[in-house]
Each structure stands twice: as C-alpha cells, then as structure tokens.
Amino acid sequence: EDGDSSEDESGPLGGEIAVVYAVGAIESGEGDATTIGSVTTAEALRTARLASDVKAVVLRVNSPGGSALASDVIWREVSLAKKEKPVVVSMGDVAASGGYYIACNANKVFANASTITGSIGNNYLF
C-alpha cells in the first residue's frame, strides 16, 4: 500500500489552488493561445469554483482588454467564484480596460510596480 487512502475525497483538479491564465485580447467565444476567449475562461473559472479540492483560485491577467461583453461574462464568473472561495488576481505587464475589469472583482489584486493597469472604457462623445 502506498499510504494513499482510498477514502480520499479529492476533486477532479487534484490540487488546492487553481491557476487560470487570461493572456491576450479579450474576445467572445473560445479564444486561442494568443486571445482570451470568454467561453473558455469562464468555463475554467467555473470548473475551479465547482471542484471540491480547489480551495482558492488565482487568475493571472495579462491583457490590454477587448470586448466589453466578453469581459462581462468573465467578470460574472469571477463574482460567482469569489462567493465560494478566495479569488486572487495576479497582474502581468498589462491589465487595462477589460483586463482591469475582469481583475477588479477579485478578493485581492496584486500588480507589479511596472504593470500598466486601469482605464475601463471612455468612449463618450461630447
């Protein structure tokens, strides 16, 4: 016997902290290696929220923003996740516009001194 109990209640992700990467421009749909897809990212956050073995979620944001609707879909999943477990954002080089928006709803937000962040939309005509 390897000492691992068959009574172990591990969830499907196999760890205590889930890391979700949000890298690139934010777009509706699936996204790819260079874009943040609202469907894929929301699904990853939902999976982490529902996994019994995940005690906290880290959302790593490196994004200049993009679609307002896609950003709102992700923001909602961050909101739902933080009701269940702590959500911490780690900002990379940039978290601006929609990237800032998906980050601002977390329990804690960490940024580097050199992170470019802020600016949620300013498209008003005067």
Side-chain angles (χ1 to χ4, degrees), residues 22-48:
V23 178
I26 301 171
E27 299 177 354
S28 292
E30 297 292 323
D32 58 30
T34 61
T35 61
I36 302 167
S38 60
V39 171
T40 307
T41 305
E43 183 178 294
L45 289 165
R46 187 177 315 110
T47 298

Side-chain angles (χ1 to χ4, degrees):
E1 188 164 307
D2 62 7
D4 196 16
S5 170
S6 62
E7 302 283 327
D8 187 23
E9 294 294 323
S10 294
L13 293 183
E16 292 191 15
I17 298 175
V19 179
V20 176
Y21 290 91
V23 178
I26 301 171
E27 299 177 354
S28 292
E30 297 292 323
D32 58 30
T34 61
T35 61
I36 302 167
S38 60
V39 171
T40 307
T41 305
E43 183 178 294
L45 289 165
R46 187 177 315 110
T47 298
R49 172 173 54 94
L50 297 175
S52 62
D53 63 331
V54 171
K55 306 301 181 215
V57 179
V58 173
L59 178 61
R60 176 68 174 172
V61 178
N62 195 5
S63 173
S67 164
L69 177 59
S71 298
D72 200 49
V73 168
I74 297 167
W75 181 93
R76 181 178 180 278
E77 285 299 329
V78 171
S79 180
L80 292 171
K82 81 176 196 176
K83 289 178 183 178
E84 305 282 330
K85 49 195 76 175
V87 177
V88 176
V89 165
S90 168
M91 292 181 172
D93 294 332
V94 63
S97 191
Y100 174 78
Y101 183 60
I102 66 173
C104 72
N105 199 25
N107 296 100
K108 298 239 183 227
V109 177
F110 294 92
N112 296 319
S114 61
T115 298
I116 298 170
T117 188
S119 179
I120 300 176
N122 229 355
N123 298 327
Y124 299 106
L125 297 175
F126 294 99

